[in-house]
Amino acid sequence: MHWSRSSVPRTPKALCLILSLAALPAAGDIAFVTNQNGEELSVLDLSAGTEINRIPLPGQPAGIAVHGTHIFTVSPEAKTVRRFDRATMTEQARVTLDGGPTGIAYDPTRDRLFISDWFNTRLWALDGATLTVQAELATGVSPSGIAVSDDGRWIASADRDSDQVSIFDAETLDLHKVVPVGVRPYGLRFDDQHRLFVGNVGTNDVSVIIPDTGEIIATVPVGDRPYGVAFAKGRAFVTNQYENTITVIDLTTLEPIKTIEGGEYPEGIDATEDETTIVVANWFENTVTLIDAETLEITGDIETGDGPRAFGVFILGED
């Protein structure tokens, strides 16, 4: 779990805002990007290709979850979870958690927020409105990324130092399956078929899991230190931190089909609501990169604050 960036020289882009008008996202797509080093939240209008707001966010923020009218953030250094109103970007609720809050995911079916505790082998389940703790779920060692399936059935935790994924029943919060995966799983997400894709940073691959049975149906090789995964146009997109690339995986064959050269140290990744554009946060470059999900070509970059992480779901469509 890295809460601060080492002193590594960065090579700035020659052009920080190069947009292809033919491939712009649909009007209204907004990205909310946590800037860990700058301790701010960048609000990006993806259609215009500009940063439209920057909100102070103390405590080295990393985790992010957005849904509907609310923005949820995790600041690990301050051990703080916050909820912001989308329209006004004012803070509406805050809680300090005694542990190591890291990953975050929101369950809209039950208005629950889940936070991983890096230090204490657990997830917190919070009330989405008040952020009060409702339950604690036992996990493996160093839980990091969290995901909630689109059908509302499953919650998954990447337990990094146990080399496993814990899958919980989202209704009862009971442990459903513990699935051994590759070495040091970190980021994970469900696709629209409710399959779970897990990036294993120690073995440079992605485990694909059927949550009902816990079966691993594929182990897909990717680049060096896979971090995040997103989906669009029948493909998975995986950020490879140490390689400055994005691996593209065909969701039918579960085979890699292309490697895209991206920005420096890509981390958080998400797709626009209409699946036309993939957005990648470049931690060492202070930008996000836009990728056309159909052509797999880079269409532009947008400047952010210092140290963009965007670890989670960070794009909202039009109100």
Side-chain angles (χ1 to χ4, degrees), residues 34-314:
T34 48
N35 301 313
Q36 188 176 60
N37 298 337
E39 300 195 317
E40 295 166 321
L41 182 70
S42 286
V43 183
L44 310 179
D45 184 330
L46 298 178
S47 297
T50 59
E51 182 181 48
I52 56 176
N53 203 350
R54 194 178 292 184
I55 310 300
L57 194 56
Q60 298 189 355
I64 181 83
V66 300
H67 183 84
T69 61
H70 298 302
I71 319 300
F72 302 94
T73 65
V74 179
S75 295
E77 186 68 20
K79 304 180 184 296
T80 302
V81 178
R82 294 176 172 88
R83 178 168 60 86
F84 293 89
D85 176 74
R86 170 180 173 155
T88 63
M89 290 311 299
T90 55
E91 184 178 311
Q92 295 184 315
R94 178 194 305 189
V95 64
T96 300
L97 299 172
D98 184 18
T102 303
I104 183 171
Y106 178 68
D107 175 8
T109 303
R110 302 162 186 88
D111 192 23
R112 282 182 182 152
L113 192 66
F114 294 90
I115 309 293
S116 57
D117 183 353
W118 179 267
F119 296 131
N120 295 296
T121 62
R122 63 182 172 181
L123 305 183
W124 288 284
L126 308 182
D127 180 274
T130 64
L131 301 186
T132 55
V133 176
Q134 296 180 326
E136 295 182 5
L137 289 62
T139 66
V141 180
S142 303
S144 47
I146 313 174
V148 177
S149 61
D150 288 346
D151 61 358
R153 292 184 63 194
W154 309 114
I155 303 150
S157 164
D159 305 335
R160 198 197 74 159
D161 291 345
S162 291
D163 300 335
Q164 69 179 37
V165 169
S166 297
I167 301 175
F168 299 88
D169 183 300
E171 180 62 36
T172 66
L173 301 182
D174 292 335
L175 181 63
H176 170 70
K177 294 286 182 182
V178 174
V179 184
V181 291
V183 176
R184 296 196 301 279
Y186 197 78
L188 75 175
R189 194 173 292 186
F190 291 91
D191 72 358
D192 60 5
Q193 299 177 54
H194 318 308
R195 301 176 299 185
L196 182 62
F197 286 64
V198 184
N200 304 305
V201 302
T203 43
N204 298 333
D205 52 32
V206 170
S207 301
V208 184
I209 300 170
I210 303 297
D212 300 65
T213 63
E215 178 188 3
I216 295 179
I217 60 172
T219 301
V220 186
V222 293
D224 197 1
R225 298 279 291 216
Y227 182 88
V229 59
F231 305 97
K233 303 292 185 182
R235 296 155 174 165
F237 296 78
V238 180
T239 51
N240 304 309
Q241 291 174 314
Y242 282 16
E243 227 176 58
N244 301 336
T245 63
I246 298 93
T247 298
V248 185
I249 301 169
D250 184 282
L251 291 182
T252 299
T253 64
L254 297 179
E255 296 286 342
I257 56 174
K258 185 171 182 176
T259 299
I260 301 171
E261 297 291 331
E264 290 185 76
Y265 219 84
E267 295 213 342
I269 184 169
D270 204 0
T272 55
E273 192 173 69
D274 62 3
E275 297 190 4
T276 60
T277 303
I278 295 292
V279 182
V280 181
N282 303 309
W283 192 41
F284 279 16
E285 201 164 88
N286 299 341
T287 64
V288 299
T289 293
L290 309 181
I291 301 171
D292 186 303
E294 188 67 51
T295 67
L296 306 182
E297 299 295 327
I298 291 177
T299 60
D301 297 280
I302 306 173
E303 289 186 337
T304 66
D306 186 18
R309 295 289 303 279
F311 184 40
V313 175
F314 62 90

